[in-house]
Amino acid sequence: MKYSLHWIREHLNGELPETNTLVREVTLRAFEVEETEVVGGDTLLEIKVLPDRAHDALSHRGMAREIGALLGVARKLHTPKAVPVNSGVSAVRVTIEDSTLCPRYIATRIDGVTVGKTTPEIAKKIEVIGGRSINNIVDITNLVLFDIGQPLHAFDADKVVGGITVRLAKEGETMTTLDNKALTLSGTELVITDDEGVLALAGIKGGKKAEVTSTTTSIILECANFDTTLTRKTSQKHNIKTDASKRYENGMTSLFAEEGCAVALALLAGHSGSGVKIGATTDVYPKKEEIVNVGVSAHEVN
C-alpha cells in the first residue's frame, strides 16, 4: 500500500526523523519499505504489509501507530464530531440472516445531500496515494477506508425498496456491479439486498441498482463487518479484488464499524450540502466482541 507521510503525521504528536532513517527503522523492525517517492511536497512510502498484519496496518492510522511505537513518538487521538440526529429522517430497517457471516451491520439514512465535487483537501489525499476522486460522497467513504482501515459503502436511498437484508444469495440471482460486470450468483455468496433483489456483493463491490449519481439526494451509509473466509472465496470466485475485500478477508474488529460510521457522518455533515439531515443509526450487532487486555513482562520474555 502507498502511504502519505503527511497523512501519517496527522496521527502522531511529535517529529519524525528524516526519510532515510524512517525507512531504515521500519524496514529492519516491522515492514519492508519497497519504494519512496516525492510527490507535490509529500513523501510516499510503498510499504509491503503481509496478511497477518493487514487487519491493523493497512491504514494510515495503523501505520502511524506502528511507526510511533518503533520511534517513541506519541499517537494523536482524533474524536469525530457528533452530528445532530433529525427525527424526521426514517431509520433503515436491517436484517442479518446469519450473524456468523455478518457480525455487525450499521446503516444510516442521510437526506438532503448534494452530490458534486469533493473538497480539494480530500481529493488530494486520495489522489496522492494513487486513488481517483469521484464525488464528495464516494470520496468520503474512501477517505475513511485509507485513514482508519474501515470500508464503507453508500447506496442511493430512493433506489432501495423496503429494508436491507444481509443474506446468502439465491442460486441464479443476478446483479450488475458498479463497473458494469454482470454476475450470476451461485448461492454461496453473501449479498446485501433490498425487498426486490441484490444491491451489492457484501464487503466486495456495490451494484448498479442503488448507485449514487449526480441526481442522488438521499443516501444510506453502510458500515459493517463480514466473514473473512466467505469474502475471500467470493472475491476469488468472481475475480473481483477491491480495497474493501482486501481488508475484510484478512479479518477486522467490528469496533471499527462504529468508529468508521461516526467519522463518515461527521464528514458528510460538513461536505454534502447545507440541507443535510442525518437520521438515527441502525446498529445490528447480535454478539458483541469481547475486549481483552493482553500483557507480557520482561521476565516472561527472558
Side-chain angles (χ1 to χ4, degrees):
M1 174 177 163
K2 286 185 178 179
Y3 296 84
S4 155
L5 198 52
H6 283 178
W7 199 338
I8 286 174
R9 286 193 178 103
E10 291 180 9
H11 291 284
L12 295 173
N13 245 335
E15 293 299 319
L16 292 176
E18 53 89 24
T19 303
N20 288 339
T21 301
L22 174 64
V23 168
R24 183 182 68 247
E25 291 299 307
V26 173
T27 299
L28 291 178
R29 301 168 65 189
F31 306 103
E32 181 183 354
V33 181
E34 298 181 316
E35 186 179 359
T36 64
E37 180 184 8
V38 176
V39 177
D42 194 0
T43 299
L44 298 185
L45 308 174
E46 182 79 45
I47 303 177
K48 184 177 183 180
V49 177
L50 297 177
D52 64 321
R53 292 297 308 278
H55 60 87
D56 70 296
L58 278 183
S59 67
H60 282 81
R61 183 179 67 178
M63 189 56 66
R65 180 174 55 234
E66 188 76 16
I67 290 172
L70 289 174
L71 302 174
V73 180
R75 289 172 54 198
K76 183 186 296 182
L77 302 179
H78 299 281
T79 302
K81 185 178 179 180
V83 297
V85 174
N86 190 304
S87 59
V89 179
S90 57
V92 183
R93 173 168 54 86
V94 175
T95 303
I96 299 175
E97 291 194 352
D98 187 342
S99 62
T100 62
L101 302 180
C102 177
R104 190 174 195 179
Y105 194 97
I106 302 174
T108 310
R109 180 175 176 125
I110 303 107
D111 289 344
V113 302
T114 300
V115 179
K117 283 189 175 182
T118 192
T119 64
E121 178 188 5
I122 292 177
K124 182 179 179 181
K125 275 189 166 183
I126 292 170
E127 290 171 349
V128 77
I129 59 172
R132 180 170 64 92
S133 176
I134 298 172
N135 59 52
N136 54 338
I137 306 300
V138 176
D139 285 2
I140 284 172
T141 64
N142 286 332
L143 180 75
V144 175
L145 182 146
F146 292 120
D147 189 37
I148 69 172
Q150 171 64 48
L152 300 95
H153 187 71
F155 301 103
D156 186 321
D158 293 329
K159 299 173 185 175
V160 175
V161 179
I164 283 180
T165 300
V166 187
R167 60 167 173 82
L168 286 174
K170 299 173 184 177
E171 185 176 359
E173 276 188 308
T174 60
M175 68 168 289
T176 302
T177 62
L178 287 170
D179 55 356
N180 295 309
K181 184 175 183 178
L183 303 179
T184 299
L185 307 177
S186 66
T188 61
E189 305 91 344
L190 189 68
V191 291
I192 313 300
T193 71
D194 64 4
D195 292 355
E196 284 188 346
V198 178
L199 300 174
L201 274 181
I204 300 173
K205 195 77 173 179
K208 295 289 286 187
K209 182 181 185 300
E211 179 183 12
V212 172
T213 67
S214 59
T215 60
T216 297
T217 57
S218 296
I219 64 171
I220 293 174
L221 182 70
E222 166 196 285
C223 204
N225 197 2
F226 303 109
D227 178 71
T228 60
T229 303
L230 190 55
T231 300
R232 183 173 62 254
K233 287 183 176 180
T234 302
S235 174
Q236 292 173 342
K237 181 182 183 68
H238 293 286
N239 194 28
I240 303 174
K241 180 72 73 174
T242 62
D243 288 315
S245 68
K246 174 64 179 172
R247 284 152 180 82
Y248 283 127
E249 71 181 33
N250 286 293
M252 289 170 49
T253 171
S254 289
L255 293 178
F256 278 178
E258 182 177 0
E259 184 181 10
C261 178
V263 174
L265 290 177
L267 289 168
L268 286 166
H271 299 283
S272 306
S274 57
V276 170
K277 301 175 183 177
I278 297 174
T281 292
T282 302
D283 185 356
V284 182
Y285 195 12
K287 186 178 179 181
K288 293 186 177 181
E289 293 179 12
E290 181 183 0
I291 297 176
V292 179
N293 293 317
V294 179
V296 62
S297 69
H299 175 72
E300 291 168 323
V301 172
N302 291 334

